[in-house]
Amino acid sequence: MTRHIEMLDALFKHATEGIVVVNKEGVIVMLNPKALELFGYEEGELVNQNIETLIPRRLSKRHTHHRDTYLESPHARGMGSSLELFARRKDDSEFPVEVSLSPFKTSEGQFVVSFVIDITERKKQESIIQEANQEIQKLNAELEERVNQRTEELAKAIHKIEQSQEEVMRALKKERELNNMKSQFVTIASHEFRTPLATILSSASLIGRYAKSEEEDKRQKHVQRIKSAVTNLTEILNDFMSIGKLEEGRIHSVSVFTQLPEFCKGLIEEIRGLCKEGQEILFSHEGNKEVWIDKQLLRNVIFNLISNAIKYSDPGKLIRLNINANGKTIFIEIIDQGIGIPESDQVHIFDRFFRANNAGNAQGTGLGLNIVQNYVDLMGGKVSFSSEVGKGTTFHVELPDHLPSAI
């Protein structure tokens, strides 16, 4: 029996929750050290005090009524999960709490034990998350407003132009497509922005907890998570900006003299930072080393296709970039050993916002391959692919190699 009493005493003294015991008159008869710490009192100061001593003054009368009602029919219950509860310290400052009540009887009468948890930090985190969600909602509203403005402009333009019945039908079809794009755009933007923003918020909050020098590894881990999330946001924004420029006709192909092998090697070095553990990018070149091509558009095409190969391939897999330039045409192959594209999805793979059914949780907007196709078209080339689920995918790009046209 003595051993049991010692164990109970140890649990009471070392509990991480504040424990307050009151009698049926609402008078405090016992507290543990954690409770004294929470409320800022010294040993013995609260014993024989009314429980309302720990309740904010503005709520003490209401609490007295609730307490009397509860003691008429005491039962175990939790408080705070759906209510905003506050407690009062010795210095009259308030803090949010969760409280659990459990009645019990002894030979000395009826008592209630209260378990008190300070949830100040939790409330701070909830407030931060709420502010982030509000920012996301604001961004969604702004995006929708911009698309609505564009739709209204198109509708006004349609009414101003006198067209044949066939032209009117084409314009109405285009408007329906734009409305569908607006819905897809807002949905995807909301989802794709929320994940990295939540990662940034979480890591930024956690970094502040690692103040010691020996916790540098933990800090760097969250710094890398923030950098990765910012990179994801940048890629998403770049995709949306590219689509906007393509829609507005602001992207043109301008061929320049290019040392193709050196250009590709530099691009591969830039992409290697995206590789998963053990992944390798192998490059081979045959034929002419000097070509005429739009370097920026070519960079975006290759970067996008290799990035997809990295994203949808497991660690340790090979990715190949093969190029053959014969003086008239540049043949490009990007080969991976990834998850492949289901046959039923292949007809839609270049559609805007489309993602294959097996893409899973991989980051993406469904715009990349649509942008690739548009860039290849601008350069006067063509793009195709072959794929098998579980074995990988090969993209084939053919681009003309010629001097820019004379103006």
Side-chain angles (χ1 to χ4, degrees):
M1 179 64 72
T2 302
R3 181 185 175 191
H4 290 167
I5 293 174
E6 289 176 352
M7 290 177 66
L8 290 173
D9 183 63
L11 287 172
F12 183 78
K13 289 181 178 179
H14 299 289
T16 57
E17 297 180 359
I19 302 175
V20 182
V21 181
V22 300
N23 60 21
K24 63 180 182 179
E25 285 79 27
V27 175
I28 299 170
V29 296
M30 187 182 299
L31 304 93
N32 73 338
K34 184 62 178 180
L36 293 173
E37 177 188 336
L38 287 177
F39 294 104
Y41 285 88
E42 298 296 331
E43 182 74 31
E45 286 186 313
L46 282 172
V47 175
N48 295 325
Q49 296 294 318
N50 195 284
I51 188 63
E52 275 71 38
T53 303
L54 306 180
I55 304 300
R57 298 182 190 281
R58 55 192 171 83
L59 303 174
S60 58
K61 290 185 179 179
R62 186 189 306 172
H63 183 270
T64 301
H65 172 72
H66 290 324
R67 185 243 301 165
D68 292 341
T69 302
Y70 174 77
L71 290 173
E72 290 176 4
S73 179
H75 57 281
R77 60 178 292 192
M79 303 172 63
S81 59
S82 60
L83 298 174
E84 293 286 340
L85 298 182
F86 293 89
R88 173 162 60 102
R89 299 186 182 93
K90 183 178 180 180
D91 62 5
D92 274 344
S93 62
E94 297 181 11
F95 61 101
V97 293
E98 279 188 3
V99 180
S100 297
L101 303 178
S102 295
F104 66 94
K105 287 183 179 180
T106 70
S107 59
E108 297 180 7
Q110 177 80 37
F111 297 89
V112 176
V113 59
S114 303
F115 299 92
V116 184
I117 302 174
D118 182 352
I119 58 172
T120 301
E121 287 303 316
R122 185 196 307 173
K123 290 295 184 181
K124 287 181 181 178
Q125 296 302 317
E126 289 175 354
S127 176
I128 292 172
I129 292 173
Q130 184 178 9
E131 290 176 3
N133 286 335
Q134 289 173 350
E135 288 298 319
I136 292 172
Q137 292 173 2
K138 180 181 178 182
L139 176 61
N140 288 343
E142 291 175 354
L143 290 171
E144 187 171 2
E145 177 62 25
R146 291 177 186 174
V147 178
N148 283 333
Q149 290 176 357
R150 182 68 182 274
T151 304
E152 291 175 3
E153 291 171 2
L154 287 172
K156 291 178 181 178
I158 290 171
H159 289 299
K160 291 180 180 179
I161 300 174
E162 295 182 357
Q163 300 175 332
S164 64
Q165 183 64 30
E166 183 179 353
E167 290 173 333
V168 171
M169 292 301 295
R170 283 200 300 267
L172 290 174
K173 181 180 179 181
K174 182 66 175 178
E175 185 176 0
R176 284 195 295 271
E177 291 174 352
L178 287 171
N179 283 330
N180 184 51
M181 283 174 54
K182 176 191 73 172
S183 177
Q184 290 176 305
F185 177 78
V186 171
T187 300
I188 291 174
S190 175
H191 178 270
E192 294 299 328
F193 281 130
R194 184 178 289 112
T195 299
L197 282 173
T199 298
I200 292 170
L201 176 61
S202 173
S203 290
S205 299
L206 289 171
I207 284 174
R209 298 184 181 181
Y210 304 129
K212 300 178 181 178
S213 58
E214 59 266 25
E215 295 177 321
E216 179 63 19
D217 289 344
K218 295 179 180 178
R219 283 194 294 271
Q220 288 303 317
K221 172 187 174 183
H222 291 293
V223 168
Q224 288 303 122
R225 289 185 66 200
I226 291 172
K227 288 181 178 179
S228 177
V230 171
T231 299
N232 286 339
L233 284 174
T234 301
E235 291 177 358
I236 294 167
L237 289 172
N238 286 339
D239 282 350
F240 289 154
M241 290 175 64
S242 295
I243 286 295
K245 290 178 181 178
L246 285 166
E247 284 289 321
E248 296 167 6
R250 292 195 286 128
I251 298 179
H252 305 281
S253 177
V254 179
S255 297
V256 295
F257 185 74
T258 304
Q259 293 286 342
L260 192 54
E262 285 74 10
F263 170 81
C264 291
K265 290 175 184 176
L267 181 55
I268 289 171
E269 287 302 314
E270 179 182 352
I271 299 174
R272 277 206 172 96
L274 303 177
C275 286
K276 300 173 185 174
E277 183 177 356
Q279 286 183 337
E280 288 187 56
I281 303 174
L282 302 182
F283 170 61
S284 70
H285 179 275
E286 294 180 8
N288 292 359
K289 295 182 178 180
E290 300 171 348
V291 299
W292 286 88
I293 196 72
D294 188 310
K295 291 172 66 174
Q296 186 60 37
L297 294 184
L298 179 62
R299 178 200 177 280
N300 290 336
V301 167
I302 295 177
F303 193 99
N304 197 302
L305 293 176
I306 294 182
S307 296
N308 277 354
I310 293 170
K311 184 187 304 181
Y312 297 112
S313 297
D314 290 333
K317 296 294 185 179
L318 290 178
I319 298 160
R320 298 181 183 274
L321 170 60
N322 301 330
I323 294 184
N324 187 327
N326 63 15
K328 293 183 178 180
T329 305
I330 304 168
F331 297 93
I332 303 171
E333 282 185 334
I334 290 92
I335 307 168
D336 68 48
Q337 300 171 329
I339 61 175
I341 304 168
E343 186 174 352
S344 58
D345 291 339
Q346 293 184 10
V347 67
H348 302 292
I349 204 65
F350 291 107
D351 292 350
R352 191 173 296 179
F353 297 114
F354 180 81
R355 302 193 73 200
N357 290 325
N358 61 343
N361 295 323
Q363 193 84 20
T365 61
L367 295 174
L369 290 178
N370 180 265
I371 293 171
V372 165
Q373 186 179 55
N374 277 281
Y375 284 171
V376 170
D377 289 343
L378 284 173
M379 290 186 283
K382 56 184 179 180
V383 57
S384 60
F385 69 94
S386 57
S387 184
E388 186 173 349
V389 172
K391 293 188 176 181
T393 302
T394 300
F395 276 90
H396 308 272
V397 180
E398 295 181 26
L399 300 171
D401 176 8
H402 56 67
L403 290 166
S405 301
I407 299 178

